[in-house]
Amino acid sequence: MIHEYLEIGLFLTAVALMMFGFPVAFTLAGTALAFALLGQWFGIFQFRQLNFLPQRIFGIMSNDVLIAAPLFIYMGLMLEKSRVAEDLLLTMTRLFGGLRGGLALSVVLVGMLMAASTGIVGATVVTMGLIALPVMLRQGYDPRLATGVICASGTLGQIIPPSIVLVFLGDILTYANQQANLKSGSTGTSVGVGDLFAGSLVPGLLLVAAYALYVVVLAWLRPSTAPAMLDDPDAPAISSRERWAMFWSGLVAPGALVIAVLGSILGGIATPTEAAAVGAIGATLLAGIRVAPGRDRRLMLVGVVAAIALMVMNGFFNLLLLRDDFSPLETAMLWLSFALLASVTLGIALSLWHVLRLGVLTSVVQSTARICGMIFAILVGASLFSLTFRGLGGEETVHNLLASLPGGLTGAMFFVMALMFLMGFFLDFLEIVFILVPIVGPTLILLGADPVWLGVMIAVNLQTSFLTPPFGFALFFLRGVAPPTVTTQQIYAGIIPFVAIQVLMLGVIAAFPGLATGLPNLLFR
Amino acid sequence: MRLLDMTITLLDGLTAVVGRMVSWLVLYMVVVTFANVVLRYMYGISNIAMIETVLYAFAVVMAATPGWTLQRNEHVRIDIFYGTQPPRTKAAIDLAGSLLLLFPVLWVIWSSAVPYVQRSWRLQETSSDVSGLPYVFALKGLILVFVMVLAVQGLAFALRNLRVLITGQGNTPAVPAGSGT
């Protein structure tokens, strides 16, 4: 009978209605509501079950894991809107442009660095599309290679930690893992956002290497597609002193920030949220230093040096307050640390003032706030959806379906991955993470999937959802900023080799789960 | 039509004012979390109430901005079909979506949240964490704020699209002047 398939109907109807283009969050929720009524009509769903909704929404609001997300978004937007990211790209192209395929290679490397610092796909693709694409085209690059490499590198932010997707994915997998443990009665290992960050590092870097290898091989086999850069007549001449300044402020400083943020998480020192706050303040300082005039800039640089000195001091001396056995040296060091802290505070305050003065800060906090609103709406929509889906018996349906596939975990995993890949053609990562992962996650873990490995597989798979036409976010963003001489067909054709690399990488991680689980096991378990 | 425009402008203005004010809490979250990192790792001081204010700030930002996000058309849409349509078709989709999807959802959330929040307010519910902030009832009240901001902007959104349907003009008084980026 028809009412036995209501949960499948809900899923398909929601996806179909989304295609009309009304905001996804409300489409999900509204469709769920309609099916809840249908279920009530057929007597297989109690509308009262929706009274759990406020509890769910409260659960989202009081989930402290998610706080890392706005802080990382702030950090990324600050680097983008203050044009620190732009400097990074310019410096890279200067460094590598002279090599055959060098421009494409620097796009890959900048993609990696920006991925590690911002993780915001739209910002990265647009920045590179505006700056690197015209240069590459002028130097005679094949437009397909030029656009493909920008889109693919721009989406590295999904997989290279710290990534916002991994924050959400980690949170959902934590819950899925608990449920799986409850059902199997075992006290399996717990998994968190930090595990996922560590797990995705090696696969992410492998992906970077694969992109780079593809570019190098192509440039070597067919030099006409990726020629070495000739001296750009439009570029003003720069002195070697300026070149050094560019190198420091454009490459070393953002690079150090990225390493500090990532290192403190992977080293188990800081939680993702704490590291994100440090990254956000660091990005503000970089932005301030970039835009401020001479005297203030020097004060900010002093602040940065003081911050580094503080960290070094903290390693050598015990500065913990709330005790009364201070040695004279410790007392002196304590006062010194207060002085250094004052300098750091001054630097931060000045940076904030300067980015505020230029309107960057306002724009960053406002964009961040609206992105939070967008994410919250999707989370609320998805919880209404999953409440109804479960109420209609969808969980059992999915479990029975996955468990009945031949090949056990391999078969189920293959099915889920194929489904995600296909959904990725139409939906983007937020919807897939919030709709599909809570449904299939517990079952896959029950079937024996390692949660970290599962998370990394999903992340790599979802990265392709940004790249696959017709609705790949990255392609969309690039189309928006690419010159009209580049046709949409060229953008679509250019992305194919990179999607192939992506699928290949998925196979490699599936075959060698140690690539994903090795580092977290080493660090945390 | 004048009345319609005035209503839209009023609702839009309200949405943007709330959004812009609330967005500064993002900076608060950054600064306080950072200060907490310094105090904890350098001086071994940790203040749970201070950390919880960040959670509260985040909850306020999440609950109070979705309307503003809607106004700026920044909720995720699937653009394959929608993006290629003329303004009138877009307006028809958005109006139908508001009436059939958005408003029923808001109504259900509201009607299930009111008793939930009332119970919490009556008890003046506090944090389960001993040293946490004792304002859990306020936090729960934010669910109603979420519904309200979306209702206000949802109404403006629906009216704006109705206006496009009537007049056939794509240019709408969507964003009031001087609302920044």
Side-chain angles (χ1 to χ4, degrees), chain A residues 21 24 30 55 61 269 274 314 319 321 337 366 369-370 373 376 427, chain B residues 20 40-41 43 62 65 68-69 74 76-78 105 116 139 181:
Chain A
V24 167
Q55 184 60 45
M61 291 196 302
I269 302 169
E274 291 168 339
N314 197 32
L319 298 173
L321 294 175
S337 81
Q366 293 192 351
R370 285 199 302 270
F376 186 63
L427 308 182
Chain B
R20 260 177 280 163
R40 192 151 93 86
Y41 288 97
Y43 303 116
M62 287 198 293
T65 50
W68 196 31
T69 312
E74 288 175 358
V76 180
R77 296 171 180 271
I78 292 176
V105 167
Y116 177 78
L139 203 54
T181 39

PDB file of all heavy atoms in Angstrom, chain A residues 21 24 30 55 61 269 274 314 319 321 337 366 369-370 373 376 427, chain B residues 20 40-41 43 62 65 68-69 74 76-78 105 116 139 181:
ATOM      1  N   GLY A  21      13.604  25.741  -6.426  1.00  0.00           N
ATOM      2  CA  GLY A  21      14.479  26.840  -6.077  1.00  0.00           C
ATOM      3  C   GLY A  21      14.060  27.641  -4.869  1.00  0.00           C
ATOM      4  O   GLY A  21      14.695  28.629  -4.541  1.00  0.00           O
ATOM      5  N   VAL A  24      16.114  25.903   0.543  1.00  0.00           N
ATOM      6  CA  VAL A  24      16.137  24.493   0.914  1.00  0.00           C
ATOM      7  C   VAL A  24      15.616  24.247   2.323  1.00  0.00           C
ATOM      8  O   VAL A  24      14.860  23.302   2.558  1.00  0.00           O
ATOM      9  CB  VAL A  24      17.585  23.981   0.779  1.00  0.00           C
ATOM     10  CG1 VAL A  24      17.736  22.637   1.446  1.00  0.00           C
ATOM     11  CG2 VAL A  24      17.976  23.901  -0.678  1.00  0.00           C
ATOM     12  N   GLY A  30       8.799  22.159   5.252  1.00  0.00           N
ATOM     13  CA  GLY A  30       7.422  22.187   4.782  1.00  0.00           C
ATOM     14  C   GLY A  30       6.982  20.844   4.228  1.00  0.00           C
ATOM     15  O   GLY A  30       5.868  20.375   4.493  1.00  0.00           O
ATOM     16  N   GLN A  55      12.538  20.774  21.573  1.00  0.00           N
ATOM     17  CA  GLN A  55      13.678  20.154  22.253  1.00  0.00           C
ATOM     18  C   GLN A  55      14.866  20.014  21.299  1.00  0.00           C
ATOM     19  O   GLN A  55      16.013  20.294  21.645  1.00  0.00           O
ATOM     20  CB  GLN A  55      13.237  18.779  22.784  1.00  0.00           C
ATOM     21  CG  GLN A  55      14.280  18.058  23.605  1.00  0.00           C
ATOM     22  CD  GLN A  55      14.680  18.850  24.829  1.00  0.00           C
ATOM     23  OE1 GLN A  55      13.853  19.375  25.534  1.00  0.00           O
ATOM     24  NE2 GLN A  55      15.982  18.963  25.062  1.00  0.00           N
ATOM     25  N   MET A  61      20.816  24.900  19.518  1.00  0.00           N
ATOM     26  CA  MET A  61      21.290  26.180  20.056  1.00  0.00           C
ATOM     27  C   MET A  61      22.302  25.985  21.180  1.00  0.00           C
ATOM     28  O   MET A  61      23.140  26.842  21.408  1.00  0.00           O
ATOM     29  CB  MET A  61      20.108  27.004  20.574  1.00  0.00           C
ATOM     30  CG  MET A  61      19.219  27.496  19.468  1.00  0.00           C
ATOM     31  SD  MET A  61      18.112  28.807  20.003  1.00  0.00           S
ATOM     32  CE  MET A  61      17.234  28.039  21.329  1.00  0.00           C
ATOM     33  N   ILE A 269      46.378  20.285  21.869  1.00  0.00           N
ATOM     34  CA  ILE A 269      46.514  21.361  22.850  1.00  0.00           C
ATOM     35  C   ILE A 269      45.189  22.078  23.020  1.00  0.00           C
ATOM     36  O   ILE A 269      44.700  22.269  24.125  1.00  0.00           O
ATOM     37  CB  ILE A 269      47.595  22.368  22.403  1.00  0.00           C
ATOM     38  CG1 ILE A 269      48.930  21.653  22.208  1.00  0.00           C
ATOM     39  CG2 ILE A 269      47.727  23.491  23.422  1.00  0.00           C
ATOM     40  CD1 ILE A 269      49.969  22.491  21.515  1.00  0.00           C
ATOM     41  N   GLU A 274      38.630  26.733  20.434  1.00  0.00           N
ATOM     42  CA  GLU A 274      39.695  27.613  20.931  1.00  0.00           C
ATOM     43  C   GLU A 274      40.665  27.980  19.813  1.00  0.00           C
ATOM     44  O   GLU A 274      41.034  29.145  19.643  1.00  0.00           O
ATOM     45  CB  GLU A 274      40.440  26.924  22.074  1.00  0.00           C
ATOM     46  CG  GLU A 274      39.593  26.795  23.326  1.00  0.00           C
ATOM     47  CD  GLU A 274      40.212  25.861  24.356  1.00  0.00           C
ATOM     48  OE1 GLU A 274      41.065  25.023  23.981  1.00  0.00           O
ATOM     49  OE2 GLU A 274      39.842  25.971  25.520  1.00  0.00           O
ATOM     50  N   ASN A 314      55.479  30.847  28.144  1.00  0.00           N
ATOM     51  CA  ASN A 314      54.536  29.917  28.751  1.00  0.00           C
ATOM     52  C   ASN A 314      55.096  28.498  28.756  1.00  0.00           C
ATOM     53  O   ASN A 314      54.775  27.689  29.625  1.00  0.00           O
ATOM     54  CB  ASN A 314      53.207  29.967  27.987  1.00  0.00           C
ATOM     55  CG  ASN A 314      52.075  29.356  28.783  1.00  0.00           C
ATOM     56  OD1 ASN A 314      52.077  29.435  30.005  1.00  0.00           O
ATOM     57  ND2 ASN A 314      51.139  28.748  28.100  1.00  0.00           N
ATOM     58  N   LEU A 319      53.201  30.050  34.904  1.00  0.00           N
ATOM     59  CA  LEU A 319      52.551  31.348  35.125  1.00  0.00           C
ATOM     60  C   LEU A 319      51.172  31.195  35.748  1.00  0.00           C
ATOM     61  O   LEU A 319      50.426  32.151  35.853  1.00  0.00           O
ATOM     62  CB  LEU A 319      52.423  32.095  33.792  1.00  0.00           C
ATOM     63  CG  LEU A 319      53.750  32.430  33.111  1.00  0.00           C
ATOM     64  CD1 LEU A 319      53.485  33.008  31.740  1.00  0.00           C
ATOM     65  CD2 LEU A 319      54.544  33.396  33.948  1.00  0.00           C
ATOM     66  N   LEU A 321      48.163  31.349  37.855  1.00  0.00           N
ATOM     67  CA  LEU A 321      47.803  32.171  39.013  1.00  0.00           C
ATOM     68  C   LEU A 321      47.091  31.292  40.030  1.00  0.00           C
ATOM     69  O   LEU A 321      47.101  30.063  39.913  1.00  0.00           O
ATOM     70  CB  LEU A 321      46.882  33.310  38.562  1.00  0.00           C
ATOM     71  CG  LEU A 321      47.524  34.339  37.642  1.00  0.00           C
ATOM     72  CD1 LEU A 321      46.480  35.334  37.182  1.00  0.00           C
ATOM     73  CD2 LEU A 321      48.651  35.059  38.353  1.00  0.00           C
ATOM     74  N   SER A 337      54.938  39.011  31.722  1.00  0.00           N
ATOM     75  CA  SER A 337      53.868  38.481  30.880  1.00  0.00           C
ATOM     76  C   SER A 337      52.696  39.463  30.810  1.00  0.00           C
ATOM     77  O   SER A 337      52.057  39.605  29.769  1.00  0.00           O
ATOM     78  CB  SER A 337      53.402  37.114  31.385  1.00  0.00           C
ATOM     79  OG  SER A 337      52.505  37.258  32.465  1.00  0.00           O
ATOM     80  N   GLN A 366      28.822  40.989   9.792  1.00  0.00           N
ATOM     81  CA  GLN A 366      27.468  40.879   9.261  1.00  0.00           C
ATOM     82  C   GLN A 366      27.316  39.653   8.372  1.00  0.00           C
ATOM     83  O   GLN A 366      26.329  38.930   8.467  1.00  0.00           O
ATOM     84  CB  GLN A 366      27.084  42.160   8.521  1.00  0.00           C
ATOM     85  CG  GLN A 366      26.972  43.334   9.482  1.00  0.00           C
ATOM     86  CD  GLN A 366      26.332  44.560   8.875  1.00  0.00           C
ATOM     87  OE1 GLN A 366      26.105  44.607   7.672  1.00  0.00           O
ATOM     88  NE2 GLN A 366      26.049  45.551   9.689  1.00  0.00           N
ATOM     89  N   ALA A 369      27.221  36.613  10.555  1.00  0.00           N
ATOM     90  CA  ALA A 369      25.938  36.462  11.235  1.00  0.00           C
ATOM     91  C   ALA A 369      24.884  35.889  10.290  1.00  0.00           C
ATOM     92  O   ALA A 369      24.126  34.994  10.665  1.00  0.00           O
ATOM     93  CB  ALA A 369      25.480  37.810  11.789  1.00  0.00           C
ATOM     94  N   ARG A 370      24.873  36.390   9.055  1.00  0.00           N
ATOM     95  CA  ARG A 370      23.853  35.889   8.118  1.00  0.00           C
ATOM     96  C   ARG A 370      24.108  34.443   7.742  1.00  0.00           C
ATOM     97  O   ARG A 370      23.169  33.664   7.554  1.00  0.00           O
ATOM     98  CB  ARG A 370      23.798  36.773   6.873  1.00  0.00           C
ATOM     99  CG  ARG A 370      23.105  38.102   7.124  1.00  0.00           C
ATOM    100  CD  ARG A 370      22.667  38.743   5.827  1.00  0.00           C
ATOM    101  NE  ARG A 370      23.784  38.948   4.938  1.00  0.00           N
ATOM    102  CZ  ARG A 370      24.524  40.056   4.923  1.00  0.00           C
ATOM    103  NH1 ARG A 370      24.251  41.037   5.740  1.00  0.00           N
ATOM    104  NH2 ARG A 370      25.529  40.176   4.096  1.00  0.00           N
ATOM    105  N   GLY A 373      22.672  32.405  10.398  1.00  0.00           N
ATOM    106  CA  GLY A 373      21.231  32.314  10.246  1.00  0.00           C
ATOM    107  C   GLY A 373      20.849  31.294   9.197  1.00  0.00           C
ATOM    108  O   GLY A 373      19.913  30.511   9.377  1.00  0.00           O
ATOM    109  N   PHE A 376      21.504  27.825  10.647  1.00  0.00           N
ATOM    110  CA  PHE A 376      20.524  27.482  11.676  1.00  0.00           C
ATOM    111  C   PHE A 376      19.194  27.089  11.028  1.00  0.00           C
ATOM    112  O   PHE A 376      18.565  26.107  11.425  1.00  0.00           O
ATOM    113  CB  PHE A 376      20.339  28.660  12.630  1.00  0.00           C
ATOM    114  CG  PHE A 376      19.446  28.354  13.802  1.00  0.00           C
ATOM    115  CD1 PHE A 376      19.795  27.384  14.719  1.00  0.00           C
ATOM    116  CD2 PHE A 376      18.268  29.045  13.995  1.00  0.00           C
ATOM    117  CE1 PHE A 376      18.980  27.102  15.801  1.00  0.00           C
ATOM    118  CE2 PHE A 376      17.454  28.778  15.074  1.00  0.00           C
ATOM    119  CZ  PHE A 376      17.808  27.801  15.981  1.00  0.00           C
ATOM    120  N   LEU A 427      22.382  18.711  -5.137  1.00  0.00           N
ATOM    121  CA  LEU A 427      22.369  19.353  -3.826  1.00  0.00           C
ATOM    122  C   LEU A 427      23.793  19.704  -3.430  1.00  0.00           C
ATOM    123  O   LEU A 427      24.746  19.202  -4.010  1.00  0.00           O
ATOM    124  CB  LEU A 427      21.799  18.402  -2.771  1.00  0.00           C
ATOM    125  CG  LEU A 427      20.457  17.772  -3.089  1.00  0.00           C
ATOM    126  CD1 LEU A 427      20.019  16.897  -1.938  1.00  0.00           C
ATOM    127  CD2 LEU A 427      19.421  18.840  -3.344  1.00  0.00           C
TER     128      LEU A 427
ATOM    129  N   ARG B  20      21.612  43.786  12.041  1.00  0.00           N
ATOM    130  CA  ARG B  20      22.880  44.509  12.172  1.00  0.00           C
ATOM    131  C   ARG B  20      23.309  44.603  13.623  1.00  0.00           C
ATOM    132  O   ARG B  20      24.491  44.514  13.933  1.00  0.00           O
ATOM    133  CB  ARG B  20      22.743  45.899  11.565  1.00  0.00           C
ATOM    134  CG  ARG B  20      23.340  45.953  10.158  1.00  0.00           C
ATOM    135  CD  ARG B  20      23.138  47.311   9.555  1.00  0.00           C
ATOM    136  NE  ARG B  20      21.778  47.410   9.035  1.00  0.00           N
ATOM    137  CZ  ARG B  20      21.190  48.564   8.733  1.00  0.00           C
ATOM    138  NH1 ARG B  20      21.827  49.690   8.926  1.00  0.00           N
ATOM    139  NH2 ARG B  20      19.976  48.577   8.247  1.00  0.00           N
ATOM    140  N   ARG B  40      43.191  30.710  30.171  1.00  0.00           N
ATOM    141  CA  ARG B  40      43.256  29.301  30.535  1.00  0.00           C
ATOM    142  C   ARG B  40      44.667  28.749  30.331  1.00  0.00           C
ATOM    143  O   ARG B  40      45.217  28.112  31.228  1.00  0.00           O
ATOM    144  CB  ARG B  40      42.267  28.499  29.701  1.00  0.00           C
ATOM    145  CG  ARG B  40      42.072  27.089  30.208  1.00  0.00           C
ATOM    146  CD  ARG B  40      40.684  26.602  29.877  1.00  0.00           C
ATOM    147  NE  ARG B  40      40.663  25.882  28.613  1.00  0.00           N
ATOM    148  CZ  ARG B  40      40.942  24.579  28.519  1.00  0.00           C
ATOM    149  NH1 ARG B  40      41.286  23.903  29.579  1.00  0.00           N
ATOM    150  NH2 ARG B  40      40.882  23.977  27.351  1.00  0.00           N
ATOM    151  N   TYR B  41      45.246  29.024  29.170  1.00  0.00           N
ATOM    152  CA  TYR B  41      46.529  28.390  28.873  1.00  0.00           C
ATOM    153  C   TYR B  41      47.694  29.095  29.533  1.00  0.00           C
ATOM    154  O   TYR B  41      48.711  28.492  29.824  1.00  0.00           O
ATOM    155  CB  TYR B  41      46.736  28.281  27.357  1.00  0.00           C
ATOM    156  CG  TYR B  41      45.832  27.244  26.756  1.00  0.00           C
ATOM    157  CD1 TYR B  41      44.630  27.603  26.165  1.00  0.00           C
ATOM    158  CD2 TYR B  41      46.154  25.891  26.838  1.00  0.00           C
ATOM    159  CE1 TYR B  41      43.774  26.652  25.654  1.00  0.00           C
ATOM    160  CE2 TYR B  41      45.313  24.925  26.329  1.00  0.00           C
ATOM    161  CZ  TYR B  41      44.129  25.310  25.737  1.00  0.00           C
ATOM    162  OH  TYR B  41      43.276  24.361  25.241  1.00  0.00           O
ATOM    163  N   TYR B  43      47.372  31.420  32.421  1.00  0.00           N
ATOM    164  CA  TYR B  43      47.260  31.653  33.860  1.00  0.00           C
ATOM    165  C   TYR B  43      46.409  30.613  34.581  1.00  0.00           C
ATOM    166  O   TYR B  43      46.188  30.733  35.776  1.00  0.00           O
ATOM    167  CB  TYR B  43      46.694  33.050  34.108  1.00  0.00           C
ATOM    168  CG  TYR B  43      47.528  34.132  33.461  1.00  0.00           C
ATOM    169  CD1 TYR B  43      47.019  34.924  32.453  1.00  0.00           C
ATOM    170  CD2 TYR B  43      48.859  34.327  33.866  1.00  0.00           C
ATOM    171  CE1 TYR B  43      47.798  35.904  31.858  1.00  0.00           C
ATOM    172  CE2 TYR B  43      49.639  35.295  33.265  1.00  0.00           C
ATOM    173  CZ  TYR B  43      49.104  36.081  32.262  1.00  0.00           C
ATOM    174  OH  TYR B  43      49.879  37.032  31.684  1.00  0.00           O
ATOM    175  N   MET B  62      22.165  32.962  15.904  1.00  0.00           N
ATOM    176  CA  MET B  62      21.495  31.975  15.045  1.00  0.00           C
ATOM    177  C   MET B  62      19.995  32.211  14.992  1.00  0.00           C
ATOM    178  O   MET B  62      19.372  32.092  13.940  1.00  0.00           O
ATOM    179  CB  MET B  62      21.774  30.564  15.557  1.00  0.00           C
ATOM    180  CG  MET B  62      23.169  30.099  15.289  1.00  0.00           C
ATOM    181  SD  MET B  62      23.330  28.301  15.413  1.00  0.00           S
ATOM    182  CE  MET B  62      23.037  28.027  17.139  1.00  0.00           C
ATOM    183  N   THR B  65      18.940  35.993  13.183  1.00  0.00           N
ATOM    184  CA  THR B  65      19.364  36.443  11.855  1.00  0.00           C
ATOM    185  C   THR B  65      18.682  35.775  10.658  1.00  0.00           C
ATOM    186  O   THR B  65      18.819  36.299   9.555  1.00  0.00           O
ATOM    187  CB  THR B  65      20.893  36.277  11.670  1.00  0.00           C
ATOM    188  OG1 THR B  65      21.253  34.952  12.049  1.00  0.00           O
ATOM    189  CG2 THR B  65      21.659  37.280  12.493  1.00  0.00           C
ATOM    190  N   TRP B  68      16.884  38.164   8.374  1.00  0.00           N
ATOM    191  CA  TRP B  68      17.803  39.049   7.645  1.00  0.00           C
ATOM    192  C   TRP B  68      18.436  38.306   6.470  1.00  0.00           C
ATOM    193  O   TRP B  68      18.585  38.838   5.380  1.00  0.00           O
ATOM    194  CB  TRP B  68      18.869  39.519   8.628  1.00  0.00           C
ATOM    195  CG  TRP B  68      19.669  40.698   8.191  1.00  0.00           C
ATOM    196  CD1 TRP B  68      19.266  41.721   7.399  1.00  0.00           C
ATOM    197  CD2 TRP B  68      21.015  40.984   8.555  1.00  0.00           C
ATOM    198  NE1 TRP B  68      20.282  42.632   7.255  1.00  0.00           N
ATOM    199  CE2 TRP B  68      21.358  42.188   7.962  1.00  0.00           C
ATOM    200  CE3 TRP B  68      21.952  40.316   9.344  1.00  0.00           C
ATOM    201  CZ2 TRP B  68      22.626  42.761   8.121  1.00  0.00           C
ATOM    202  CZ3 TRP B  68      23.198  40.884   9.511  1.00  0.00           C
ATOM    203  CH2 TRP B  68      23.526  42.096   8.905  1.00  0.00           C
ATOM    204  N   THR B  69      18.797  37.041   6.728  1.00  0.00           N
ATOM    205  CA  THR B  69      19.365  36.217   5.661  1.00  0.00           C
ATOM    206  C   THR B  69      18.362  36.062   4.518  1.00  0.00           C
ATOM    207  O   THR B  69      18.730  36.113   3.349  1.00  0.00           O
ATOM    208  CB  THR B  69      19.752  34.830   6.213  1.00  0.00           C
ATOM    209  OG1 THR B  69      20.491  34.995   7.421  1.00  0.00           O
ATOM    210  CG2 THR B  69      20.590  34.057   5.218  1.00  0.00           C
ATOM    211  N   GLU B  74      20.044  35.088   1.019  1.00  0.00           N
ATOM    212  CA  GLU B  74      21.247  34.285   1.208  1.00  0.00           C
ATOM    213  C   GLU B  74      20.953  32.903   1.790  1.00  0.00           C
ATOM    214  O   GLU B  74      21.851  32.227   2.248  1.00  0.00           O
ATOM    215  CB  GLU B  74      22.250  35.042   2.091  1.00  0.00           C
ATOM    216  CG  GLU B  74      22.868  36.208   1.346  1.00  0.00           C
ATOM    217  CD  GLU B  74      23.773  37.068   2.201  1.00  0.00           C
ATOM    218  OE1 GLU B  74      23.914  36.789   3.402  1.00  0.00           O
ATOM    219  OE2 GLU B  74      24.331  38.028   1.667  1.00  0.00           O
ATOM    220  N   VAL B  76      20.255  29.095   1.211  1.00  0.00           N
ATOM    221  CA  VAL B  76      20.677  28.247   0.097  1.00  0.00           C
ATOM    222  C   VAL B  76      19.473  27.846  -0.747  1.00  0.00           C
ATOM    223  O   VAL B  76      18.475  27.360  -0.236  1.00  0.00           O
ATOM    224  CB  VAL B  76      21.356  26.973   0.627  1.00  0.00           C
ATOM    225  CG1 VAL B  76      21.787  26.083  -0.524  1.00  0.00           C
ATOM    226  CG2 VAL B  76      22.533  27.324   1.490  1.00  0.00           C
ATOM    227  N   ARG B  77      19.592  28.094  -2.034  1.00  0.00           N
ATOM    228  CA  ARG B  77      18.566  27.658  -2.976  1.00  0.00           C
ATOM    229  C   ARG B  77      19.215  26.755  -3.993  1.00  0.00           C
ATOM    230  O   ARG B  77      20.422  26.812  -4.201  1.00  0.00           O
ATOM    231  CB  ARG B  77      18.010  28.838  -3.777  1.00  0.00           C
ATOM    232  CG  ARG B  77      17.284  29.882  -3.038  1.00  0.00           C
ATOM    233  CD  ARG B  77      17.068  31.016  -4.034  1.00  0.00           C
ATOM    234  NE  ARG B  77      16.362  32.137  -3.451  1.00  0.00           N
ATOM    235  CZ  ARG B  77      15.030  32.243  -3.446  1.00  0.00           C
ATOM    236  NH1 ARG B  77      14.289  31.314  -3.997  1.00  0.00           N
ATOM    237  NH2 ARG B  77      14.463  33.289  -2.898  1.00  0.00           N
ATOM    238  N   ILE B  78      18.412  25.967  -4.670  1.00  0.00           N
ATOM    239  CA  ILE B  78      18.939  25.197  -5.790  1.00  0.00           C
ATOM    240  C   ILE B  78      18.538  25.930  -7.051  1.00  0.00           C
ATOM    241  O   ILE B  78      17.365  26.086  -7.355  1.00  0.00           O
ATOM    242  CB  ILE B  78      18.425  23.758  -5.734  1.00  0.00           C
ATOM    243  CG1 ILE B  78      19.071  23.117  -4.514  1.00  0.00           C
ATOM    244  CG2 ILE B  78      18.792  23.009  -6.998  1.00  0.00           C
ATOM    245  CD1 ILE B  78      18.635  21.739  -4.239  1.00  0.00           C
ATOM    246  N   VAL B 105       5.243  25.905   8.501  1.00  0.00           N
ATOM    247  CA  VAL B 105       6.340  25.444   9.360  1.00  0.00           C
ATOM    248  C   VAL B 105       6.469  26.359  10.570  1.00  0.00           C
ATOM    249  O   VAL B 105       6.585  25.902  11.716  1.00  0.00           O
ATOM    250  CB  VAL B 105       7.668  25.407   8.568  1.00  0.00           C
ATOM    251  CG1 VAL B 105       8.850  25.236   9.509  1.00  0.00           C
ATOM    252  CG2 VAL B 105       7.644  24.293   7.547  1.00  0.00           C
ATOM    253  N   TYR B 116       6.327  24.642  25.537  1.00  0.00           N
ATOM    254  CA  TYR B 116       7.679  24.232  25.927  1.00  0.00           C
ATOM    255  C   TYR B 116       8.409  25.384  26.620  1.00  0.00           C
ATOM    256  O   TYR B 116       9.013  25.222  27.689  1.00  0.00           O
ATOM    257  CB  TYR B 116       8.425  23.802  24.664  1.00  0.00           C
ATOM    258  CG  TYR B 116       9.866  23.400  24.829  1.00  0.00           C
ATOM    259  CD1 TYR B 116      10.205  22.151  25.333  1.00  0.00           C
ATOM    260  CD2 TYR B 116      10.893  24.261  24.435  1.00  0.00           C
ATOM    261  CE1 TYR B 116      11.526  21.779  25.455  1.00  0.00           C
ATOM    262  CE2 TYR B 116      12.212  23.887  24.553  1.00  0.00           C
ATOM    263  CZ  TYR B 116      12.530  22.642  25.065  1.00  0.00           C
ATOM    264  OH  TYR B 116      13.839  22.284  25.186  1.00  0.00           O
ATOM    265  N   LEU B 139      17.257  31.219  26.982  1.00  0.00           N
ATOM    266  CA  LEU B 139      17.798  30.549  25.799  1.00  0.00           C
ATOM    267  C   LEU B 139      16.673  29.846  25.037  1.00  0.00           C
ATOM    268  O   LEU B 139      16.583  29.922  23.816  1.00  0.00           O
ATOM    269  CB  LEU B 139      18.856  29.546  26.263  1.00  0.00           C
ATOM    270  CG  LEU B 139      19.937  29.108  25.283  1.00  0.00           C
ATOM    271  CD1 LEU B 139      20.649  30.304  24.703  1.00  0.00           C
ATOM    272  CD2 LEU B 139      20.929  28.182  25.964  1.00  0.00           C
ATOM    273  N   THR B 181      26.908  45.992   3.655  1.00  0.00           N
ATOM    274  CA  THR B 181      27.018  44.727   2.939  1.00  0.00           C
ATOM    275  C   THR B 181      26.984  43.561   3.891  1.00  0.00           C
ATOM    276  O   THR B 181      27.519  43.626   4.932  1.00  0.00           O
ATOM    277  CB  THR B 181      28.336  44.655   2.141  1.00  0.00           C
ATOM    278  OG1 THR B 181      29.361  45.235   2.893  1.00  0.00           O
ATOM    279  CG2 THR B 181      28.193  45.295   0.823  1.00  0.00           C
TER     280      THR B 181
END
